[in-house]
């Protein structure tokens, strides 16, 4: 078959039929040839150059035989080079070149003709497969995975087998070109088998040479071992080598800057070592001990960067928010900066960062160290249950070693690093001791300047170390240990904060790691949908994983040619990258309901709406509570019911409902445990509505603890709860008066969009939320003697 196609000249490579391979195209003419092929039927001729050094080859510089190939994909790299994926289909002989702006030629495409003697071909095929298996096993640099090997072994087409083996083999361009030009299949199979046999003989020769070299090396090593034995005998007889080694150790003890008491002990130990027989177990123990004494830092310190503006800049670059933590670090550095050069002992702070996983506690330590120009070391305390891991073992034990603190100091090599004690709340104790008790001395600024490790058995100054500890909860940290630390709570991020973190830190990082910068972008709406429908966490680890999934999926689509240029992903596109949403965002009801009230709750992953349902049915005065409620929440329901029984006339409730009405209080999402007192006014409102049949306004959400006297008590998590209401579309909030100060924590744009009613007693709440007219007849007749709403609260 005769074709006229663009030509791409190849340097240092020959492409054979039945193979798919990438080709980097950098020359202007070759790029033009690719573009012409892509604009037509994607067919192209690939021909090797005779001399790879020629930059602008002419027809005389090219072989006459090449392959006809199809361009499967072309991708432009950042340096302007085209990476073209080509599938070679058949041999082709170029017969005539056509003048033009790029190489273009007419050629004959060769159709494979199988020889008549199929038996010979079958024998050659089996020999080829066996030889290639040995070739791969013995080749030092050729690495084929299991699938490639199985593909070669499973090939039944002799022409494809010969070409595939030649493609994988590390032969010269001339040898592969010779195989390409062989149109006789039997001759081609014999040529490939001959080259494989030649290489296998060379591999066998290399093995024999390597064995002879190894035997010679074994002889040399034996001689070296005997010479070292002779040196050791000379040392035992009083030679100079042993003494010079101990003198070097004595000199090191003098130079490392030990305190006088420590130096005295080290020199005394060295004197004992000199009197011992070198090589004895006691000498080994003493030498190891002296090595530890001389390798831990005693006086070497990194020069600090005492510039709070620089530190603020570094902390803001690395972490979004975390205002309290940053302010505490800046306070410490401000004092260090002002007292620099004065005779004042600046005690390094002991901070404990408490918060849910993924909020940046561990990475904050690295930023602090970088901003202060200090070395950083992380010690994981999760699961530590042996006191010796903190204080070390006494030297009387075999294999005794110092504890984690001394190991860390040796590794950083300075006396003033930043050491992060990670997961301090997950230490435990058993018969081997209580590591938390061992940490008392480490984390006490008044004592850690004389910390004593059992192995070193000398005071070691840890007062210059900046300790930062992290924990997920304070409940499991022993009270004496917690008393020595400054607690800084890091709450879970709000959706707005997560969006800012994703935009400024997480998404750019994922773009860099996936190579998709300038090719894909996400909108703020898409990020918010990922946050609300695909993650439910306090931190941002899951959010980073989901954004990484979007970037990786985008890279796959890009290579498949799904788009060119910059692709913007909006909220509607997110399921195409992440699949079906895993969570349903909170949406508030709007129509007034009887026996239902809209509350607000705090969870470790942020605020949420908490709908409370109450059903009042004729009965004998029973109270049922369902929805996995904790003890505190059950007590809130009891307090609300008792308050309403004491004020039946005030709110127009049935006078003897406690004898004739059964109440069922249910909090939906029954699989989730719920506890806390902040649903008190919500339960009171729902119960009052169920008994009086007066509907509750559902466009208002509330939170607050209720007392038996009807007082509305303050609660926690105000910021998270109000943000949840804002995101759910509720703009009217009932909040305890005593929580007014916490409103300053809310972002300004959120606070301006909320109408907040501050209340002090339940009467104000019921008057504000209950509609005046009943929606249906009461379950039993109410008392006729009523007071004004709120009068008895």
């Amino acid at each position: 078959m005769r074709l006229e196609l663009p030509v791409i000249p190849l340097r240092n490579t020959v492409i054979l039929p039945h193979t798919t391979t990438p080709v980097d195209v950098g020359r202007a003419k070759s790029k033009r040839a690719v573009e012409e092929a892509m604009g037509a039927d994607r067919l192209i001729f690939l021909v090797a150059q005779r001399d790879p050094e020629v930059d602008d080859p002419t027809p005389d510089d090219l072989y006459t035989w090449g392959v006809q190939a199809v361009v499967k994909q072309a991708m432009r790299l950042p340096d302007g080079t085209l990476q073209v994926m080509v599938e070679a289909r058949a041999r082709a002989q170029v017969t005539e070149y056509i003048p033009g702006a790029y190489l273009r030629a007419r050629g004959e495409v060769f159709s494979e003709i199988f020889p008549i003697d199929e038996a010979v071909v079958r024998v050659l095929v089996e020999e080829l497969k066996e030889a290639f298996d040995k070739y791969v096993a013995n080749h030092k640099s050729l690495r084929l995975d299991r699938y490639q090997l199985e593909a070669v072994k499973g090939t039944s087409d002799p022409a494809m087998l010969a070409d595939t083996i030649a493609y994988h083999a590390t032969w010269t361009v001339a040898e592969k070109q010779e195989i390409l030009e062989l149109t006789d299949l039997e001759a081609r199979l014999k040529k490939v088998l001959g080259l494989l046999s030649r290489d296998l003989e060379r591999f066998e020769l290399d093995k024999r040479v390597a064995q002879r070299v190894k035997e010679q090396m074994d002889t040399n090593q034996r001689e070296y071992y005997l010479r070292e034995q002779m040196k050791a005998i000379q040392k035992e007889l009083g030679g100079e080598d042993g003494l010079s080694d101990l003198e070097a150790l004595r000199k090191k003890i003098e130079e490392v800057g030990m305190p006088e008491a420590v130096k005295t002990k080290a020199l005394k130990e060295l004197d004992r070592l000199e009197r011992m027989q070198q090589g004895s177990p006691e000498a080994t123990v003493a030498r190891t001990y002296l090595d530890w004494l001389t390798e831990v830092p005693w006086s070497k310190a990194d020069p600090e960067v005492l510039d709070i503006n620089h530190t603020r800049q570094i902390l803001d670059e690395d972490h979004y928010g975390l205002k309290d933590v940053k302010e505490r670090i800046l306070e410490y550095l401000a004092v260090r900066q002002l007292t620099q050069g004065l005779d004042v002992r600046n005690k390094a702070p002991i901070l404990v960062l408490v918060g849910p996983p993924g909020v940046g506690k561990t990475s904050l330590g690295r930023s602090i160290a970088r901003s202060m120009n200090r070395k950083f070391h992380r010690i994981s305390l999760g699961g530590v249950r042996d006191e010796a891991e903190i204080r070390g073992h006494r030297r009387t034990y075999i294999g005794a070693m110092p504890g984690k603190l001394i190991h860390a100091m040796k590794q950083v090599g300075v006396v003033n690093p930043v050491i992060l004690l990670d997961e301090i709340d997950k230490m435990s104790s058993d018969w081997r001791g209580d590591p938390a008790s061992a940490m008392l001395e480490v984390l006490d600024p008044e004592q850690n300047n004389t910390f004593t490790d059992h192995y070193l058995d000398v005071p070691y100054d840890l007062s210059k170390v900046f300790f930062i500890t992290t924990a997920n909860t304070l409940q499991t940290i022993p009270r004496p240990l917690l008393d020595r630390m400054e607690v800084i709570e890091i709450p879970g991020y709000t959706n707005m904060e997560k969006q800012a973190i994703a935009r400024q830190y997480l998404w750019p990082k994922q773009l860099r790691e996936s190579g998709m910068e300038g090719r894909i972008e996400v909108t703020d709406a898409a990020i918010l949908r990922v946050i609300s429908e695909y993650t439910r966490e306090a931190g941002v680890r899951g959010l980073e994983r989901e954004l990484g999934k979007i970037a990786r999926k985008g890279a796959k689509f890009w290579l498949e040619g799904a788009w060119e240029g910059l692709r913007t992903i909006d909220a509607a596109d997110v399921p195409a990258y992440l699949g079906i949403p895993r969570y349903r965002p909170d949406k508030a009801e709007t129509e007034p309901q009887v026996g239902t009230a809209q509350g607000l709750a705090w969870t470790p992953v942020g605020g949420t709406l908490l709908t409370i349902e109450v059903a009042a049915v004729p009965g004998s005065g029973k109270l049922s509570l369902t929805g996995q409620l904790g003890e505190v929440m059950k007590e809130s329901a009891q307090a609300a019911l008792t308050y309403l029984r004491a004020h039946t006339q005030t709110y127009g409730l049935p006078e003897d409902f406690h004898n004739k009405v059964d109440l069922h209080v249910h909090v939906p999402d029954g699989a989730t445990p719920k506890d806390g007192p902040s649903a008190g006014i919500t339960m009171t409102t729902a119960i009052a509505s169920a008994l009086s049949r007066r509907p509750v306004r559902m466009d208002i959400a509330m939170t607050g603890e209720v007392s038996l006297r009807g007082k509305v008590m303050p609660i926690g998590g105000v910021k998270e709860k109000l943000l949840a209401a804002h995101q759910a579309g509720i703009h009217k909030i009932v909040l305890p008066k005593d929580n007014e100060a916490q409103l300053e924590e809310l972002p300004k744009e959120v606070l301006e969009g909320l109408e907040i009613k501050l209340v002090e007693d339940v009467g104000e709440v019921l008057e504000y939320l209950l509609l005046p007219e009943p929606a249906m007849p009461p379950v039993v007749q109410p008392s006729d003697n009523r007071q004004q709403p709120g009068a008895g609260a």
Side-chain angles (χ1 to χ4, degrees):
M1 181 173 63
R2 188 175 180 84
L3 294 174
E4 178 180 325
L5 298 173
V7 177
I8 296 181
L10 305 174
R11 300 191 200 205
N12 295 315
T13 186
V14 174
I15 294 179
L16 293 151
H18 313 107
T19 61
T20 300
T21 185
V23 176
D24 290 335
V25 178
R27 292 181 282 200
K29 288 185 177 180
S30 298
K31 291 181 183 178
R32 181 68 185 276
V34 172
E35 292 169 356
E36 290 294 324
M38 294 291 289
D41 52 6
R42 293 178 175 258
L43 294 178
I44 204 162
F45 284 142
L46 301 174
V47 183
Q49 291 183 204
R50 298 178 186 275
D51 183 2
E53 301 298 325
V54 177
D55 286 329
D56 188 11
T58 63
D60 294 333
D61 297 318
L62 304 176
Y63 287 99
T64 57
W65 280 86
V67 293
Q68 175 220 4
V70 60
V71 178
K72 305 297 288 183
Q73 187 181 38
M75 181 175 66
R76 191 173 298 276
L77 301 179
D79 61 355
T81 303
L82 285 178
Q83 190 175 70
V84 183
M85 186 66 67
V86 295
E87 178 186 343
R89 292 186 171 176
R91 286 170 169 76
Q93 184 178 20
V94 176
T95 57
E96 178 186 3
Y97 281 88
I98 301 169
Y102 60 92
L103 290 175
R104 189 175 182 86
R106 296 187 181 94
E108 293 286 343
V109 177
F110 175 76
S111 297
E112 207 72 65
I113 301 174
F114 290 87
I116 298 173
D117 194 349
E118 295 183 0
V120 174
V121 173
R122 281 198 301 271
V123 172
L124 288 172
V125 165
E126 293 303 320
E127 290 183 358
L128 265 180
K129 290 182 179 180
E130 183 178 352
F132 185 67
D133 195 35
K134 294 179 181 178
Y135 178 88
V136 173
N138 289 278
H139 202 297
K140 294 180 179 179
S141 59
L142 183 64
R143 294 291 181 269
L144 297 183
D145 58 37
R146 179 168 57 89
Y147 301 104
Q148 291 174 314
L149 286 173
E150 289 178 355
V152 174
K153 292 179 181 179
T155 302
S156 58
D157 185 346
M160 182 183 296
L161 178 66
D163 290 338
T164 305
I165 291 176
Y167 170 76
H168 288 301
T170 56
W171 297 331
T172 64
V173 170
E175 289 169 339
K176 291 189 176 184
Q177 183 67 31
E178 185 179 353
I179 293 171
L180 177 66
E181 294 179 3
L182 284 172
T183 57
D184 184 89
L185 179 57
E186 185 176 332
R188 194 188 314 154
L189 291 169
K190 290 179 179 178
K191 177 66 178 178
V192 173
L193 182 60
L195 291 174
L196 286 176
S197 301
R198 178 202 67 184
D199 286 353
L200 290 175
E201 290 177 3
R202 189 187 70 203
F203 293 155
E204 190 62 34
L205 179 61
D206 289 344
K207 279 186 179 180
R208 290 198 296 269
V209 172
Q211 183 63 31
R212 286 199 296 268
V213 172
K214 182 178 182 299
E215 292 172 356
Q216 183 64 36
M217 287 180 63
D218 290 343
T219 301
N220 294 338
Q221 287 173 348
R222 178 174 175 273
E223 293 174 357
Y224 173 79
Y225 177 74
L226 292 174
R227 284 195 297 268
E228 290 299 309
Q229 274 193 326
M230 292 177 64
K231 288 182 182 179
I233 293 171
Q234 290 174 355
K235 291 178 186 178
E236 292 293 330
L237 294 174
E240 294 296 324
D241 289 339
L243 291 178
S244 63
D245 186 42
L246 295 180
E247 286 301 321
L249 186 57
R250 183 182 299 275
K251 182 179 179 182
K252 192 173 181 181
I253 291 173
E254 296 285 349
E255 293 176 350
V256 293
M258 296 177 181
E260 238 5 85
V262 180
K263 184 191 293 186
T264 301
K265 181 167 184 176
L267 291 174
K268 184 177 178 180
E269 190 72 20
L270 181 60
D271 292 339
R272 287 183 60 247
L273 178 61
E274 289 176 341
R275 294 192 297 270
M276 293 178 187
Q277 182 179 358
Q278 298 299 312
S280 66
E282 294 84 357
T284 302
V285 171
R287 179 57 191 263
T288 304
Y289 174 69
L290 289 174
D291 285 342
W292 271 101
L293 280 181
T294 54
E295 288 175 4
V296 294
W298 294 96
S299 57
K300 182 182 177 182
D302 281 333
E304 286 184 316
V305 174
L306 297 176
D307 183 348
I308 62 172
N309 292 322
H310 170 73
T311 302
R312 186 191 299 275
Q313 179 184 351
I314 294 294
L315 295 177
D316 288 340
E317 282 178 5
D318 292 350
H319 290 84
Y320 181 87
L322 305 181
K323 180 180 177 183
D324 291 341
V325 186
K326 294 176 182 177
E327 286 301 316
R328 181 62 190 90
I329 304 305
L330 294 174
E331 290 168 10
Y332 166 68
L333 291 180
V335 173
R336 290 297 298 265
Q337 188 172 341
L338 292 174
T339 59
Q340 191 176 13
L342 301 178
D343 188 17
V344 177
R345 184 188 170 201
N346 287 291
K347 301 172 185 176
I350 312 293
L351 305 182
V352 55
L353 308 180
V354 184
V359 295
K361 301 186 298 296
T362 302
S363 62
L364 187 64
R366 292 188 176 88
S367 297
I368 292 172
R370 184 165 76 92
S371 69
M372 299 173 67
N373 191 37
R374 290 191 179 194
K375 288 186 172 61
F376 175 79
H377 188 85
R378 173 182 169 271
I379 298 176
S380 177
L381 298 179
V384 171
R385 60 180 62 222
D386 188 352
E387 181 185 350
E389 292 196 49
I390 306 298
R391 284 194 175 275
H393 304 84
R394 300 192 183 277
R395 281 185 289 149
T396 54
Y397 297 109
I398 296 175
M401 294 291 286
K404 288 180 176 289
L405 271 300
I406 298 301
H407 270 95
M409 298 304 293
K410 175 187 174 183
Q411 185 168 341
V412 296
V414 291
V415 297
N416 62 340
V418 173
I419 292 184
L420 182 81
L421 302 173
D422 213 2
E423 309 289 1
I424 198 170
D425 58 323
K426 294 178 178 59
M427 288 191 299
S428 57
S429 59
D430 59 10
W431 56 271
R432 290 169 289 190
D434 183 5
S437 299
M439 294 297 296
L440 293 176
E441 184 182 2
V442 176
L443 298 181
D444 191 339
E446 298 295 338
Q447 301 179 37
N448 62 10
N449 61 324
T450 57
F451 171 72
T452 301
D453 183 273
H454 287 159
Y455 182 84
L456 295 185
D457 199 26
V458 293
Y460 189 84
D461 187 2
L462 293 175
S463 63
K464 297 181 178 63
V465 178
F466 193 155
F467 284 107
I468 301 173
T469 68
T470 70
N472 295 130
T473 177
L474 298 177
Q475 306 302 319
T476 55
I477 302 178
R479 187 57 52 184
L481 183 58
L482 188 61
D483 187 57
R484 287 161 168 79
M485 299 183 286
E486 295 186 33
V487 178
I488 298 178
E489 294 190 3
I490 304 179
Y493 293 118
T494 65
N495 285 2
M496 293 180 181
E497 290 170 332
K498 289 180 184 178
Q499 180 187 4
I501 292 170
R503 176 61 65 195
Q504 297 177 29
Y505 302 96
L506 306 182
W507 180 243
K509 175 185 174 184
Q510 293 302 324
L511 285 180
R512 287 193 303 271
E513 292 181 354
S514 61
M516 291 297 290
E517 290 181 290
R519 295 169 177 163
I520 191 172
E521 192 50 77
V522 294
T523 64
D524 290 343
I527 293 176
L528 280 176
R529 185 170 186 185
V530 173
I531 293 169
S532 61
E533 298 185 20
Y534 292 87
T535 64
R536 185 154 291 181
E537 56 178 351
V540 292
R541 282 203 187 108
L543 174 59
E544 184 173 9
R545 282 194 295 269
E546 298 300 324
L547 293 176
K549 191 182 296 183
I550 291 177
R552 291 192 301 273
K553 185 88 68 169
K556 171 179 169 289
F557 289 159
W558 169 270
L559 292 176
E560 290 175 347
W563 76 83
E564 294 182 1
L566 179 66
R567 174 72 175 270
T568 300
I569 298 174
D570 205 352
D573 305 320
V574 171
Y577 291 80
L578 300 182
I580 300 172
R582 291 188 285 274
Y583 305 105
R584 180 179 63 85
D586 288 332
K587 290 186 179 180
E589 299 182 32
T590 56
E591 294 298 321
Q593 302 283 333
V594 173
T596 304
Q598 196 81 265
L600 294 170
W602 179 92
T603 71
V605 298
T608 184
L609 294 181
L610 186 72
T611 303
I612 293 181
E613 302 171 344
V614 178
V617 295
S620 58
K622 294 180 182 178
L623 175 64
S624 301
L625 302 168
T626 57
Q628 275 214 63
L629 308 186
E631 289 301 319
V632 177
M633 205 164 183
K634 291 178 180 178
E635 290 169 1
S636 293
Q638 294 282 359
L641 183 59
T642 302
Y643 170 79
L644 291 175
R645 285 181 59 186
H647 298 81
T648 54
Q649 295 182 357
T650 304
Y651 303 115
L653 306 180
E655 193 171 65
D656 51 354
F657 72 84
H658 59 283
N659 292 324
K660 298 181 179 180
V661 177
D662 287 346
L663 290 174
H664 184 166
V665 179
H666 178 67
V667 184
D669 194 11
T672 304
K674 310 166 192 72
D675 203 3
S678 63
I681 63 172
T682 313
M683 286 187 172
T684 306
T685 304
I687 294 173
S689 172
L691 291 171
S692 67
R693 296 302 199 237
R694 293 169 62 186
V696 181
R697 293 180 59 182
M698 299 299 288
D699 60 335
I700 302 173
M702 69 195 91
T703 180
E705 181 180 356
V706 66
S707 73
L708 285 177
R709 296 178 298 158
K711 298 296 182 183
V712 179
M713 314 289 286
I715 43 82
V718 172
K719 177 183 177 182
E720 290 81 2
K721 291 176 180 178
L722 297 194
L723 283 171
H726 180 269
Q727 290 159 7
I730 293 180
H731 303 290
K732 295 180 181 180
I733 307 294
V734 174
L735 193 69
K737 175 73 173 176
D738 291 340
N739 285 118
E740 185 175 7
Q742 279 76 42
L743 295 177
E744 296 180 3
E745 299 178 359
L746 262 71
K748 183 178 179 181
E749 62 273 12
V750 173
L751 193 58
E752 290 176 351
L754 294 176
E755 178 185 321
I756 299 174
K757 182 176 179 61
L758 301 171
V759 296
E760 294 181 302
D761 61 68
V762 176
E764 298 177 63
V765 178
L766 298 179
E767 182 179 4
Y768 185 54
L769 282 140
L770 292 179
L771 296 180
E773 295 299 327
M776 59 186 73
V779 64
V780 294
Q781 292 300 317
S783 171
D784 294 332
N785 186 14
R786 300 185 184 180
Q787 300 176 17
Q788 292 298 317

